[in-house]
């Protein structure tokens, strides 16, 4: 029988169903490495941004910089030693000068009380006016003092914490031996009673306040108070001074700053009120005060006052101190007046002694007196 032809077995084609799974695995394998790198970068950035990480980076960079400087110094030293006749001088390490401390915090050391009392009658009228070169030098010192960075000391061991505490401190520790008011040179006793026999000042106003001494603000409280938000935003029915005294610690410090307080006859303190200082022209004076040299301009020309020459320079330097210490703003017209007074009337013996006593007690001095 003839043999049957059998068909050759054809190989079956392999199924390609597993191919998509293998492609997915290959794509994931390609992406896994960048994802790890990205994760590491994110963690590194987060670590460096943290406080501990930034400290670690700073210490590492500092140590690397120190090692680099040591290596550079050793290489420079070896090269210099190898070339002794080259005439190249060995480099010297640069030494930066120590920063100068602000004049505000450099308090004068307590000085022993002098055996003889300082004369309270030292005025500028007995001293020669400065020469142009001296005036220019003092002006440069004043500008340098204004540029000193100062810090408001809200907590100081000797700084008074209230207006009443400042008045007691001044009477007890500053004016204990020279009891004369600065405007009229009238003497007073420990109980702040004026000796009318030594007082040339006379006025028909405020008779009930003429026989006593009050501690007057050279920069009025209303003047520096109006520049503070607490004064402008006082609740209805409450005056600005009362509201600032309750809520503003810096205002309380300004109000109690003894550098801004001087002994004044009560009647004169009331007449001065919060008027600005200026120069009263001839024929424009209001004859409300006599015998003192304290002049008041008439109401019609804009109320302002002119103190005696003996205290003009001190008033200017107190205003500069307040501007420097607290940021108190001074108008352009007032600044021109104070610049002139500061140049014409340097600190006298009583002003210097007063500033040294205040610095020894409070730890704060007036740089416009110290650096004049």
């Amino acid at each position: 029988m003839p043999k049957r032809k059998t068909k050759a077995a054809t190989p079956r084609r392999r199924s390609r169903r597993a191919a998509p799974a293998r492609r997915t695995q290959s794509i994931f394998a390609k992406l896994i490495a960048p994802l790890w790198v990205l994760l590491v970068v994110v963690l590194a950035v987060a670590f460096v941004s943290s406080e501990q990480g930034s400290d670690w980076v700073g210490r590492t960079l500092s140590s690397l910089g120190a090692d680099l400087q040591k290596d550079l110094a050793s290489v420079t030293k070896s090269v210099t030693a190898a070339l002794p006749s080259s005439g190249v001088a060995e480099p010297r390490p640069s030494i930066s000068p120590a920063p100068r401390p602000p004049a505000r915090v450099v308090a004068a050391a307590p000085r022993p009380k002098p055996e003889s009392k300082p004369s309270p009658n030292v005025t500028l009228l007995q001293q020669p006016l400065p020469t142009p070169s001296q005036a220019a030098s003092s002006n440069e010192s004043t500008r340098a003092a204004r540029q000193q960075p100062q810090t408001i000391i809200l907590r100081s061991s000797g700084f008074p914490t209230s207006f009443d505490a400042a008045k007691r401190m001044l009477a007890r520790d500053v004016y204990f031996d020279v009891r004369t008011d600065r405007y009229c040179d009238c003497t007073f006793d420990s109980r702040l009673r004026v000796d009318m026999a030594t007082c040339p000042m006379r006025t028909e106003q405020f008779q009930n306040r003429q026989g006593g001494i009050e501690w007057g603000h050279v920069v009025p409280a209303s003047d520096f108070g109006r520049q503070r938000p607490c004064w402008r935003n006082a609740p209805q029915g409450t005056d600005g001074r009362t509201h600032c005294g309750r809520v503003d610690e810096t205002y309380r410090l300004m109000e109690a700053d003894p550098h801004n307080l001087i002994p004044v006859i009560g009647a004169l303190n009331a007449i001065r009120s919060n008027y600005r200082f200026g120069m009263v022209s001839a024929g424009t004076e209001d004859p409300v005060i006599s015998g003192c040299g304290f002049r008041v301009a008439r109401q019609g020309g804009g109320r302002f006052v002119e103190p005696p020459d003996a205290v003009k320079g001190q008033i200017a330097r107190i205003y500069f101190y307040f501007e420097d210490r607290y940021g108190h703003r001074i108008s352009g017209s007032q600044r021109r007046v104070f610049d002139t007074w500061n140049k014409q009337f340097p600190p006298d013996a009583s002003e210097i002694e007063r500033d040294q006593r205040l610095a020894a007690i409070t730890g704060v001095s007036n740089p416009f007196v110290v650096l004049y």
Side-chain angles (χ1 to χ4, degrees):
M1 292 180 64
K3 296 181 179 180
R4 291 181 180 180
K5 292 183 180 180
T6 60
K7 294 182 180 181
T10 56
R12 294 181 179 180
R13 295 182 179 179
R14 297 180 180 179
S15 178
R16 296 184 179 179
R17 292 178 181 177
R22 284 196 296 269
R23 280 200 300 270
T24 303
Q25 292 177 359
S26 63
I27 293 173
F28 184 74
K30 291 180 180 179
L31 291 177
I32 193 67
L35 288 175
W36 274 106
V37 173
L38 180 61
L39 180 61
V40 171
V41 170
V42 170
L43 292 176
V45 170
F47 175 72
V48 172
S49 300
S50 64
E51 184 177 357
Q52 295 179 352
S54 60
D55 293 341
W56 177 81
V57 171
R59 291 194 303 268
T60 303
L61 293 177
S62 300
S63 61
L64 290 176
D67 295 339
L68 182 60
Q69 290 181 355
K70 290 181 182 179
D71 295 340
L72 183 59
S74 61
V75 170
T76 304
K77 186 175 181 180
S78 61
V79 171
T80 305
L83 301 173
S85 59
S86 61
V88 180
E90 182 179 356
R92 298 180 179 179
S94 60
I95 302 175
S96 59
R100 183 179 178 182
R104 175 77 60 236
V105 298
V106 179
R111 303 177 67 187
K113 297 179 182 179
E115 296 180 359
S116 59
K117 298 181 181 180
S119 173
N121 298 323
V122 179
T123 65
L124 215 4
L125 299 178
Q126 301 171 350
Q127 301 178 3
L129 292 177
T131 62
S133 60
Q134 292 174 343
S137 177
S138 64
N139 192 25
E140 293 177 0
S141 300
T142 303
R143 285 197 298 267
R146 291 180 190 170
Q147 296 173 358
Q148 291 287 338
Q150 308 300 342
T151 303
I152 298 178
I153 303 175
L154 293 177
R155 293 286 184 265
S156 180
S157 59
F159 213 90
T161 57
S162 66
F163 183 33
D164 291 335
K167 293 187 289 186
R168 290 192 298 268
M169 184 266 288
L170 287 167
R172 180 184 65 247
D173 301 326
V174 179
Y175 292 91
F176 58 88
D177 57 348
V178 184
R179 295 193 178 101
T180 57
D181 84 290
R182 196 67 172 128
Y183 286 141
C184 298
D185 203 23
C186 301
T187 61
F188 59 92
D189 58 17
S190 59
R191 300 179 65 180
L192 304 183
R193 295 176 302 189
V194 178
D195 183 0
M196 298 305 298
T198 66
C199 187
M201 198 273 299
R202 294 292 183 270
T203 180
E204 297 297 329
Q205 299 183 8
F206 306 102
Q207 288 290 322
N208 59 331
R209 297 171 65 177
Q210 188 166 346
I213 287 292
E214 299 175 0
W215 300 98
H217 289 93
V218 175
V219 183
S222 60
D223 194 357
F224 59 76
R226 290 192 188 98
Q227 298 184 14
R228 304 199 62 78
C230 61
W231 191 286
R232 299 189 296 268
N233 301 327
Q236 186 175 6
T238 305
D239 62 279
R241 185 167 187 171
T242 302
H243 183 62
C244 286
R246 292 173 180 172
V247 302
D248 192 335
E249 187 175 8
T250 302
Y251 173 85
R252 291 195 295 269
L253 179 71
M254 299 169 74
E255 185 184 36
D257 194 323
H259 286 278
N260 188 39
L261 298 173
I262 58 175
V264 186
I265 298 174
L268 187 56
N269 191 34
I271 292 173
R272 187 262 161 133
S273 183
N274 60 352
Y275 299 139
R276 69 187 189 279
F277 290 102
M279 299 294 294
V280 179
S281 303
T284 63
E285 182 178 357
D286 189 342
V288 64
I289 300 175
S290 63
C292 181
F294 194 97
R295 308 174 68 189
V296 181
R298 291 177 181 173
Q299 186 72 36
R303 202 64 151 174
F304 62 95
V305 297
E306 179 182 353
D309 290 346
V311 75
K312 286 179 178 177
Q314 181 178 1
I315 289 174
R317 286 179 283 275
I318 290 175
Y319 265 87
F320 293 155
Y321 162 85
F322 241 61
E323 177 188 42
D324 178 71
R325 182 169 171 80
Y326 303 107
H328 177 71
R329 296 185 297 274
I330 303 175
S331 65
S333 59
Q334 285 275 273
R335 185 178 301 281
R336 288 189 291 271
V337 172
F338 294 149
D339 283 337
T340 302
W341 290 357
N342 181 52
K343 295 175 185 177
Q344 290 183 345
F345 306 104
D348 59 16
S350 61
E351 182 181 356
I352 294 173
E353 181 68 22
R354 173 182 180 271
D355 184 73
Q356 290 175 343
R357 292 181 180 182
L358 287 174
I361 298 168
T362 66
V364 178
S365 60
N366 185 344
F368 301 93
V369 177
V370 177
L371 302 179
Y372 190 86

